[in-house]
């Protein structure tokens, strides 16, 4: 099917995203939740979910118009996506003059090789100042005494001494073993343990002992559980609030395999902030996290936003992405309503993980941060040592102040 798009003004932008195979429920949530700015259209190219299907011509799956922008979804084979990547327009009969800018990002076979062994020694700006004083030691002892896991330790966060010295930590629930093996992550990937039903109480006790105004809770991926771990989040959120009624709660969640019921269960606990990380640009998704997907992560965030939650996401750079790709990912996150954004430098946690392709400079982080702020994010943390939970309380405070104003 060949469809002639409307004639647009010179200010209009077309963002083309070749997403590969996308689960129907993820695609529905993404399209329904997309709220691009006026003058920005989206064209999603998706592969048939039937791997044996042959698509000889692009098929229009959906067209949705909303407040000055259009979302197009075409089912197509790989050749059309290649045409878009190379600047051709395939059989959609769209003239380049229809848009002032066409921005393409692709997934899968079209990703260019990631540079290897090019980063060199760690630059000075990547060296965090260590503080292993009394407050750090007492926080570590508390976690050990309550037999709690923290992402600070399990993921090798470079800011652990700063945060623990400030008596803050990100609690990691549902065990310390993940069912996925993402190329950037240090967390253990052996067979998961049984759920610890007393864990929510101990997390609540730690929040109380530390006197936290804002608690951050994350987890490993638990694809072995029917609900993907959603029930564990609900139990922990409820336990923290029962013992600490004045503490705000932020959760950094896995995708729960995109299951709408599991996600709805988690959303029903009404965390003050719901974070789900996009992690990297579309082109590098398979290489960085082969069991997740760009479209699914955007769909999770769109669902959370539709449920009335404040949403947050994060991106790491240094895997071989370009500035244009990072800005494209940032724009996609804003288009699904994300309010808080974190962007930081990837650090290779071990020899078996993805190598650092290059070190992004502080000036480049400033450029990304300024771009994100221009799109309307309520709070942006963009810097070499930034991680998902970095200055998390500051972000919540800023959102609350913005809401009042």
């Amino acid at each position: 099917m060949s469809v002639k798009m409307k004639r647009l003004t010179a200010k209009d932008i077309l963002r083309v995203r070749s997403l590969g195979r996308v689960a129907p429920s993820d695609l529905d949530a993404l399209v329904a939740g997309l709220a691009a700015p006026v003058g920005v259209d989206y064209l999603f190219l998706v592969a048939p979910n039937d791997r044996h299907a042959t698509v000889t011509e692009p098929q229009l799956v959906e067209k949705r118009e909303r407040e000055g922008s259009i979302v197009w979804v075409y089912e197509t084979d790989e050749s059309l996506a290649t045409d878009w990547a190379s600047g051709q327009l395939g059989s959609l009969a769209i003239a380049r003059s229809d848009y002032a800018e066409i921005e393409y990002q692709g997934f899968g076979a079209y990703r260019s090789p990631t540079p290897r062994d090019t980063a060199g020694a760690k630059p000075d700006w990547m060296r965090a100042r260590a503080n292993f004083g009394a407050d750090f030691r007492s926080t570590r002892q508390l976690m050990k005494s309550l037999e709690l896991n923290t992402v600070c330790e399990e993921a090798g966060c470079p800011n652990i001494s700063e945060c623990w010295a400030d008596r803050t930590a990100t609690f990691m629930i549902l065990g310390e073993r993940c069912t996925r093996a993402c190329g950037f992550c240090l967390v253990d990937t052996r067979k998961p343990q049984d759920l610890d039903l007393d864990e929510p109480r101990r997390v609540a006790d730690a929040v109380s002992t530390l006197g936290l105004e804002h608690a951050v809770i994350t987890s490993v991926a638990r694809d072995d559980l029917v609900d993907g771990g959603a029930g564990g989040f609900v139990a922990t959120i409820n336990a923290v609030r029962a013992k600490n009624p004045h503490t705000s709660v932020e959760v950094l969640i896995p995708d729960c395999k995109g299951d709408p019921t599991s996600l709805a269960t988690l959303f029903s606990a009404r965390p003050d902030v719901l974070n789900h990380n996009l992690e990297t640009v579309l082109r590098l998704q398979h290489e960085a996290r082969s069991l997740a997907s760009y479209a699914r992560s955007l769909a999770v965030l769109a669902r959370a936003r539709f449920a009335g939650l404040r949403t947050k996401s994060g991106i790491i750079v240094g895997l071989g992405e370009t500035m244009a790709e990072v800005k494209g990912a940032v724009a996609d996150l804003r288009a699904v309503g994300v309010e808080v954004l974190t962007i930081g430098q990837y650090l290779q946690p071990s020899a078996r993980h993805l190598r650092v392709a290059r070190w992004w400079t502080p000036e480049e982080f400033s450029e990304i941060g300024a771009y994100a702020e221009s799109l309307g994010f309520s709070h942006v943390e963009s810097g070499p040592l930034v991680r998902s939970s970095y200055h998390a309380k500051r972000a919540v405070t800023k959102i609350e102040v913005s809401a009042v104003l």
Side-chain angles (χ1 to χ4, degrees):
M1 179 184 295
S2 180
V3 177
K4 178 67 177 178
M5 288 189 182
K6 63 174 183 176
R7 177 71 181 183
L8 302 170
T9 65
K11 69 177 182 179
D12 287 319
I13 298 171
L14 179 65
R15 293 177 181 153
V16 184
R17 302 292 185 261
S18 180
L19 299 174
R21 289 185 178 84
V22 182
S25 62
D26 290 336
L27 186 60
D28 289 344
L30 174 55
V31 174
L34 200 70
V38 173
V40 176
D41 291 353
Y42 270 86
L43 170 58
F44 292 129
L45 305 176
V46 298
N49 281 298
D50 180 356
R51 295 176 181 271
H52 303 292
T54 301
V55 180
T56 57
E57 245 183 85
Q59 303 294 319
L60 178 63
V61 175
E62 185 171 0
K63 173 188 174 184
R64 185 171 301 197
E65 298 187 49
R66 179 187 296 147
E67 299 178 359
S69 65
I70 301 176
V71 180
W72 306 79
V73 181
Y74 273 86
E75 186 176 86
T76 183
D77 60 13
E78 296 182 347
S79 62
L80 180 62
T82 304
D83 287 344
W84 276 101
S86 61
Q88 303 302 312
L89 298 176
S91 56
L92 295 182
I94 305 170
R96 278 195 166 274
S97 57
D98 285 350
Y99 290 93
E101 180 183 347
I102 296 179
E103 179 211 327
Y104 174 89
Q105 292 202 31
F107 168 83
Y110 320 114
R111 67 182 190 275
S112 62
T114 300
R116 297 303 190 196
D117 297 316
T118 58
K122 184 184 294 187
D124 289 341
W125 64 77
M126 288 303 306
R127 303 184 188 282
R129 179 181 297 177
N131 181 357
F132 300 115
D135 287 331
F136 171 89
R137 294 193 299 273
S138 66
T139 301
R140 181 173 61 181
Q141 182 57 39
L142 175 65
M143 298 306 168
K144 288 184 176 180
S145 67
L146 292 174
E147 297 181 329
L148 293 173
N149 300 308
T150 67
V151 76
C152 320
E153 290 182 296
E154 301 299 329
C157 180
N159 302 312
I160 185 171
S161 67
E162 176 187 348
C163 294
W164 282 24
D166 195 34
R167 294 179 67 77
T168 63
T170 298
F171 303 97
M172 191 172 78
I173 64 173
L174 307 180
E176 59 183 10
R177 299 177 184 177
C178 186
T179 54
R180 302 186 184 182
C182 296
F184 57 85
C185 184
L186 184 61
V187 173
D188 193 351
T189 59
R190 291 176 293 165
K191 182 179 178 180
Q193 309 100 316
D194 293 335
L195 291 180
D196 180 354
L197 300 182
D198 188 51
E199 185 176 59
R201 178 194 63 79
R202 300 199 308 278
V203 171
D205 286 347
V207 171
S208 177
T209 301
L210 289 169
L212 298 184
E213 294 181 355
H214 184 71
V216 183
I217 302 163
T218 189
S219 81
V220 291
R222 290 299 300 261
D223 294 333
D224 58 312
L225 302 176
V226 174
D227 68 354
F233 273 99
V234 173
T236 306
I237 292 169
N238 291 341
V240 169
R241 284 181 169 157
K243 186 154 189 169
N244 309 273
H246 301 296
T247 298
S248 55
V249 179
E250 175 177 328
V251 293
L252 170 56
I253 68 168
D255 61 25
C256 296
K257 297 174 284 189
D259 179 62
T261 301
S262 299
L263 291 169
T265 296
L266 203 160
F267 298 163
S268 70
R270 312 303 298 172
D272 296 281
V273 177
L274 185 133
N275 186 358
H276 175 70
N277 285 337
L278 187 61
E279 303 294 6
T280 188
V281 301
L282 177 54
R283 176 173 58 88
L284 299 174
Q285 286 285 316
H286 183 74
E287 186 172 7
R289 48 176 204 157
S290 60
L291 296 179
S293 84
Y294 192 86
R296 172 160 293 171
S297 288
L298 290 177
V300 167
L301 292 161
R303 290 181 191 277
R305 184 62 176 170
F306 184 77
L309 298 175
R310 293 168 173 168
T311 53
K312 174 179 176 178
S313 192
I315 298 171
I316 51 174
V317 297
L319 293 171
E321 63 292 304
T322 66
M323 177 65 81
E325 287 177 316
V326 174
K327 288 183 176 179
V330 169
D332 293 347
L333 288 170
R334 186 65 193 130
V336 294
V338 172
E339 295 183 64
V340 180
L341 178 68
T342 59
I343 305 168
Q345 171 72 49
Y346 167 65
L347 293 171
Q348 183 181 0
S350 80
R352 63 183 176 85
H353 288 83
L354 295 173
R355 294 186 176 93
V356 177
R358 78 177 181 93
W359 304 106
W360 285 59
T361 67
E363 292 75 21
E364 288 173 310
F365 280 106
S366 295
E367 179 180 341
I368 301 169
Y371 174 73
E373 289 174 350
S374 75
L375 296 180
F377 285 91
S378 298
H379 185 78
V380 178
E381 291 281 352
S382 180
L385 296 174
V386 168
R387 292 297 180 265
S388 295
S389 304
Y390 193 60
H391 294 161
K393 173 59 180 173
R394 181 188 300 178
V396 172
T397 302
K398 191 169 183 179
I399 292 175
E400 291 171 346
V401 170
S402 298
V404 171
L405 297 177

